[in-house]
Amino acid sequence: MQFRYYTEKTPSQCMLALNERLQARGARLEGWVEKNGRFSLAVSTTVMRRFKRTTRLSGVVERADGLTVIEGAVSDGADPRNRRFIYGALIVIGIVLVATKAFLPGLLLLASPLLLNIPLQGDYENSKTLTGEVQRTLKARSSLPAALKKAAPKKGAADKKPAVRKPPSTIAYRE
């Protein structure tokens, strides 16, 4: 998943805030921060009560057009509804392959939902945690900050166009 956030902080303030967050006690985050604006964050969770899944977010903080822009990418996995659809499709294809006597590929497809659940579920949960940490730490939003939005001109009395007078249809001369 690609993301773009905006903040009112300067890039150096952002790097300082990220570094402080990484150094905080009890932080589940791991990662690094560079002075040039590049950073990487990682978080690990347990999936299926046994397997540990680590997801990494990488990004860059830049100043562009008077705004501080945070751009990055993180693997976002699949939500529970989409995982069920993926697993159902794999199982159906596996059953068809076994029925057509392609036993080995069919059995591999039937077992694949168990293996695919680890990255799909782990990345889904971790990506929300990582993007939330970036937004909270940097006070970033996906829309432009209110202070930096250009105010749309309001229509008032000063903006009204002057009335255009039509020329008279007939000109009467007095003698």
Side-chain angles (χ1 to χ4, degrees), residues 12-13 24 34 45 50 54 66-67 69 84 86 101 104 115 128 135 138 141 154 173:
S12 61
Q13 289 173 333
E34 292 179 355
T45 56
R50 178 178 294 163
T54 301
L67 298 173
V69 180
R84 284 191 294 261
I86 292 167
K101 299 193 180 185
L104 186 58
L115 298 174
K128 288 198 282 186
Q135 286 183 312
L138 303 179
R141 303 277 180 255
K154 295 181 181 178
Y173 292 101

Side-chain angles (χ1 to χ4, degrees), residues 45 47 53 55 83 117-127:
T45 56
V47 180
R53 176 65 181 177
T55 305
R83 284 195 307 261
N117 192 52
I118 297 166
L120 291 178
Q121 181 181 352
D123 287 347
Y124 177 72
E125 294 169 3
N126 292 343
S127 67

